Structures are given as C-alpha cells and as structure tokens.
Amino acid sequence: MKMKKTQKMMMSLAVSFIMLASAVSPVFAANTSDTTLPTGFISYSSNVTTAVRSKTNTTPVYIKNTSGMNLWVYANGGSKPSNPSVTESTGTTQGGFAKVLPGQYVIHTLIYENGYRNAWLNISTATNGVSGKCKGVWSPDTAGSYASAN
Amino acid sequence: MKKITWKAVSGVFAVLFLVMHMTACSSMNSDKQIEDYKDKGKQSKITRPDPDATPVPEEREVSNFAGIGEEISESDIQNGKEIPDALVYTVNKTTLFSDIAEAGIVQEDMVPLIEDSPLDEKGEIKPGVKFLLFEMTVKNIRAEPMRNITSLYLLYADSITEISDKASTMSFLDLPCPAYFSNPSGSRVGDEWKEYYTYNVPVGQSKNIKVGWYVDLDQYDQSNLYLIFNRDNDEEKLFKLYF
C-alpha cells in the first residue's frame, strides 16, 4: 500500500515536471491561415510582393497558385524593403528560388532557421513573355502535406 | 494528511504551468518599417500646375474614394485576366471598440494567430489599442464563389501625404491581416484555422460580413486609416474612416 502511494506521488510529480518544462518554452500557434496573394500585374520582369507575416516554425511556406501562370517565387525573411525589385531575395529559398506551377505547393526555406521571424513572398512569372494578374493564397507555415515547388 | 500534501504539490505545479503557458504571439519587427515609412512620408507629393503650359483637355476623373452605404465594385482575377465589376461591396458601418468583448465577440472566434499581437507581456491589451470593426455586404455579380477576405487591406497614410492617386503609387503602410472575420470556412484545429479567412458567396447572392482589426492608436492616427478595395487594379477604391 505504501509503495503504491509512493509510486502515485512520483508519477504525479513527474507529470507536473514535464508540464512545467514544456511551459518554459512557449508554444506559438502556427501561422497557417491562408491570405491572398496580391492581384497586381506580374511578368518575367515585374513583380508583386505579399504583406509581411509572422513565421513561427521551420515548416515550409505554403502557396496555392490560381493565376493560371507558372510563378517564380522568392520566399524571404524579415522586413520588406520599399519597392523590392523582381530579384529581391534574402537567400532563404532553398535552391535559390521556387518555380510554382498552378496548384498547391510548399516552398522549402531557411527563413526560420536563419533567425527571421517574419516572411514575405516576391512573385513574378517564370517564363519570359508570360504576364498577367497574380492570384492565389499563401501562408508562412504549413499544416498538411503538399508537393514541393523547390 | 499525506494525500493533501502530494495533491497540493501537483496543484502548485499545475498552476505554475498555467501561468507560464501564456500564448505569446510573435510580433513583427515593424519599428524600422514605421520609421522608414515616416521618413518617406515627409517628401511632399503636392504638385502645382504650370500657368504657362498649354491647356490640355482634362479627362473626366472618377473619385477613388468611397463612403458609407456606397457600392464599391471589385474585379475578380480569373486565369490571369481581370474581370471588372465582378463583386460589389457596401460598407454599412464602422465602429471603434475598446475590446472585442464590447463588440460582442469571444476570443475563440478570432484568428488563432493575431499578427503584431495587441497583447503585452501580461497578456493584456496594450494601452492605445482599439478594435476596429467593419460591417459590410458583399454581392457576387460574376466572381468565383470562393473568396478570401484578406483581399481587403487596411492601410495607414502619413497625414502630409496627399492621397489623390492609386494606392500602388503612394506610400502607404500595410497594417497586419484582420484579427476577426465573421464568416470563416472550415474549423479550428488546435491552434490553427487554415480556412479562417475563406468564405463562399455564390454568384447572384449577397452576404453580410464583419471584419475586424486591432489598431494601435498610439502609433496610428485614426483619421489616416483607409480600407482599400481592388488594390493594384483598375477600380481601386479607398474607404476613409471617419469617427
């Protein structure tokens, strides 16, 4: 009887310690809510950029391209400069860039690993001569599995 | 007596866990962005006509400002092409609340991760932060039914910037995504809600919606806040807030 009570007490303490340990490292809600890509005009040499959003973990960036065009995307970290150029990149897109065909994809990045806690996308078209209005949604973090764009 | 002792110990740790397990939203490092914006805003955008220039017939200019009760057309993008007059928005009401409770909204109905968190280290709303709620009607004329409310942007303009042209040519500061939307799709899964901003309006139908933002009025003058429709497209419209 004494052993059972002691074991109960130890287990309870152990659970409490585990709970406390996890509380020391705050857990952030992942930023997976989809927001719109800007609907401005893009071409091989003209771009649009998304708003800056919080990046909370190392999961890839999610993008759904419904523009009908293949997109050239830099997934960048940190704050966004004024009037970013079509090639503005923080070097955080794995492989240098992501070519995003119509559909749902993830873009693998080093945004969070490189210490950035915000993300934004720089978008143009992937093919010279192709232009039009951008359309789609994205999120800085991903929940679920999708094909890779890079 | 012994039972009470180990229960009390567990209880203490549980309380500590709850106190320390406060959700802290990452905050955007917007300080430099705001300072850069303010410096850019000091450059005057006002131009004066040359009195000696040959008069040129003026094209009829359509105001790019909209007001309460006014129908605002928005285009839809389909296959890379702009479809004009695809949706009609009407802003019916704008209200500034002290907090979401005053607006009759509960925390569970907010977006799981609120960008640029309005909470301080103690988890309380920062002084100066208010909750701005828009009530509007959206009618689908010929747009794709699945919509995303973040196609609307809340912008801040420096008071000395003359706003007379498209937002894309002006120096606006983007405020974060809405903290509240009344008609989300899908459901919350843990701390995530992927389709929070997504909603459906079939062609030919209307929907009444509410969209809310936290706004720090210690940082932003409320008279310089604008809701923008149709950004970067031909029918761009600015809705200026009046309180």
Side-chain angles (χ1 to χ4, degrees), chain B residues 33-92:
Chain B
Q33 190 178 0
I34 292 171
E35 287 306 312
D36 289 349
Y37 172 78
K38 285 181 177 174
D39 287 338
K40 185 177 293 187
K42 287 175 184 167
Q43 299 168 21
S44 173
K45 303 260 185 216
I46 300 173
T47 58
R48 298 184 183 278
D50 180 355
D52 296 326
T54 302
V56 176
E58 290 185 358
E59 293 180 14
R60 188 178 72 88
E61 289 186 7
V62 177
S63 168
N64 61 336
F65 288 94
I68 290 280
E70 183 179 335
E71 290 190 342
I72 305 165
S73 291
E74 185 174 89
S75 55
D76 190 25
I77 306 301
Q78 297 174 16
N79 296 318
K81 303 258 186 316
E82 185 175 345
I83 310 298
D85 303 322
L87 293 151
V88 173
Y89 289 89
T90 308
V91 179
N92 302 312

Side-chain angles (χ1 to χ4, degrees), chain A residues 26-32 53-61 111-113 116-119 139-142, chain B residues 24-27 112-115 191-192:
Chain A
V27 176
F28 295 93
N31 203 359
T32 58
R53 295 180 63 190
S54 298
K55 182 106 179 79
T56 73
N57 58 41
T58 57
T59 60
V61 167
I111 295 173
Y112 197 85
E113 293 85 340
Y116 296 110
R117 293 299 175 259
N118 297 313
S139 62
D141 303 324
T142 296
Chain B
C25 297
S26 57
S27 60
L113 191 151
I114 299 174
E115 303 271 1
D191 282 334
E192 298 176 19

Side-chain angles (χ1 to χ4, degrees), chain B residues 36 102 111 130 175 198:
Chain B
D36 289 349
E102 191 182 357
V111 69
K130 304 293 179 191
L175 270 66
T198 305

Side-chain angles (χ1 to χ4, degrees), chain A residues 87-106:
Chain A
T87 54
E88 183 76 36
S89 169
T90 53
T92 46
T93 314
Q94 292 199 27
F97 65 91
K99 187 174 173 182
V100 182
L101 276 58
Q104 299 183 84
Y105 296 92
V106 290

Side-chain angles (χ1 to χ4, degrees), chain A residues 2 5 8-9 12-13 16-41 48-49 51-57 62 66-69 79-80 82-83 104 117-118 131-135 137 139-143 146, chain B residues 2-3 5-6 9-11 13-14 16-18 20-29 32-33 36 40 76-82 111-116 144 146-153 174-177 191-198 230-234:
Chain A
K2 257 192 182 178
K5 282 186 182 177
K8 267 192 184 176
M9 186 175 168
S12 179
L13 279 174
S16 300
F17 271 121
I18 290 168
M19 287 166 67
L20 185 61
S22 69
V24 170
S25 308
V27 176
F28 295 93
N31 203 359
T32 58
S33 299
D34 292 341
T35 59
T36 54
L37 299 179
T39 55
F41 176 83
V48 293
T49 56
V52 179
R53 295 180 63 190
S54 298
K55 182 106 179 79
T56 73
N57 58 41
Y62 165 84
T66 54
S67 68
M69 302 176 286
S79 57
K80 187 171 66 171
S82 308
N83 299 316
Q104 299 183 84
R117 293 299 175 259
N118 297 313
S131 63
K133 296 285 191 169
C134 184
K135 186 177 183 182
V137 294
S139 62
D141 303 324
T142 296
Y146 304 93
Chain B
K2 283 187 181 176
K3 277 188 183 177
T5 301
W6 68 257
V9 170
S10 301
F13 278 115
L16 281 175
F17 165 76
L18 285 172
M20 294 180 74
H21 197 61
M22 297 289 287
T23 301
C25 297
S26 57
S27 60
M28 294 165 60
N29 181 16
K32 183 175 187 313
Q33 190 178 0
D36 289 349
K40 185 177 293 187
D76 190 25
I77 306 301
Q78 297 174 16
N79 296 318
K81 303 258 186 316
E82 185 175 345
V111 69
L113 191 151
I114 299 174
E115 303 271 1
D116 206 11
E144 291 175 349
M146 290 306 297
R147 315 300 312 166
N148 189 298
I149 198 61
T150 58
S151 64
L152 303 182
Y153 295 83
D174 274 272
L175 270 66
C177 303
D191 282 334
E192 298 176 19
W193 198 333
K194 183 167 177 61
E195 296 171 303
Y196 182 82
Y197 296 118
T198 305
N230 233 22
R231 188 175 189 179
D232 296 328
N233 292 297
D234 293 340

